[in-house]
Amino acid sequence: CEWAEWQDWMACSKTCGGVGQQSRVRSISQDATVGGAGCAATDAQEVVPCGEQPCHVVVCVDGEWGEWNEWTICSKSCLGGFRWHSRRVAVEANR
């Protein structure tokens, strides 16, 4: 029995983030002659692990508040007025 050359590797079943598989195959180029040993079917395919690298990880950016503005003046001179102050977002969260 004689084997042909290996074909090219197939694409990996996973591109990242886990264990995938990729394989290649070959065929018999010449059968065994009378009295010769036949080809073992297990030699027709080769399988290896692939795709084990981590997938692209997005770095999480937390939002942040800016500094408080000054308090406003009171809305009334007496009895029940209000004041407020505010602040803006300094850094927007990305998720």
Side-chain angles (χ1 to χ4, degrees), residues 52-90:
E52 298 171 271
Q53 68 276 11
C55 295
H56 176 69
V57 178
V58 175
V59 176
C60 182
V61 175
D62 290 333
E64 293 180 23
W65 288 107
E67 297 295 319
W68 285 102
N69 293 328
E70 295 294 320
W71 285 97
T72 62
I73 58 171
C74 189
S75 62
K76 289 191 175 185
S77 58
C78 62
L79 299 174
F82 60 91
R83 297 172 19 152
W84 71 90
H85 66 155
S86 61
R87 59 184 175 169
R88 295 182 182 256
V89 174

Side-chain angles (χ1 to χ4, degrees), residues 11 19 28 33 40 45 60 73:
V19 179
I28 297 171
T33 56
Q45 183 177 20
C60 182
I73 58 171

